[in-house]
Amino acid sequence: MPHLIVEYTDNLGDGARIPELLAKANRILMDQGGVFPTGGIRSRAHRLTEYAVADQAADYAFVHARLTIGAGRPEAVKRATGDQLFAMIKEHFAELFQVRPLALSFELHETSEAWSWKHNNLHARFKQP
């Protein structure tokens, strides 16, 4: 962990630049001073083709991002990470936000280690000798 899942409406098209968004998110997570192990960072996006927004009277669009992290990080770290990710999301979509109806949202969730199963050989790749 952390895992970032981005859902976005397909009416944003290629202008959403999702691969670039995911790369920026990973960089933010890696730049948190080792709080999140690089080998555990996952970012992915789901392009939504079936959705309904508000009264459906316009070509509304949305982007919703959810970051799930393991429990135990200090509140200040969670706040800083969330603030940085949401600021990046707003900046990333700023041009689209100016020209179309667009809702942006972000949430951070903690998961208990007791209810999270993992099997991963990526961490060893990033350990310092």
Side-chain angles (χ1 to χ4, degrees):
M1 295 248 163
H3 291 197
L4 179 72
I5 300 173
V6 178
E7 297 177 318
Y8 68 102
T9 55
D10 69 345
N11 61 351
L12 289 172
D14 293 336
R17 303 178 343 266
I18 297 299
E20 181 183 331
L21 176 79
L22 299 178
K24 290 177 190 177
N26 277 20
R27 176 53 46 202
I28 287 170
L29 293 168
M30 287 186 287
D31 288 346
Q32 296 303 308
V35 171
F36 303 111
T38 300
I41 295 171
R42 313 274 188 280
S43 294
R44 55 195 174 272
H46 300 286
R47 183 179 221 154
L48 304 173
T49 58
E50 298 178 13
Y51 52 89
V53 180
D55 61 5
Q56 302 178 57
D59 190 26
Y60 303 129
F62 71 83
V63 177
H64 176 69
R66 176 183 173 133
L67 180 68
T68 302
I69 64 173
R73 279 139 181 127
E75 292 295 318
V77 168
K78 293 184 285 189
R79 173 62 59 195
T81 302
D83 287 346
Q84 289 174 38
L85 283 169
F86 194 52
M88 179 274 294
I89 290 167
K90 290 190 302 184
E91 181 180 319
H92 183 84
F93 289 102
E95 288 181 29
L96 286 175
F97 196 87
Q98 295 300 315
V99 298
R100 63 165 307 131
L102 176 59
L104 303 174
S105 59
F106 171 78
E107 56 186 287
L108 188 149
H109 288 268
E110 282 186 300
T111 186
S112 165
E113 290 298 316
W115 303 111
S116 179
W117 291 261
K118 300 175 188 83
H119 185 63
N120 180 345
N121 65 6
L122 295 174
H123 291 289
R125 182 179 178 95
F126 296 100
K127 287 200 188 243
Q128 298 294 328

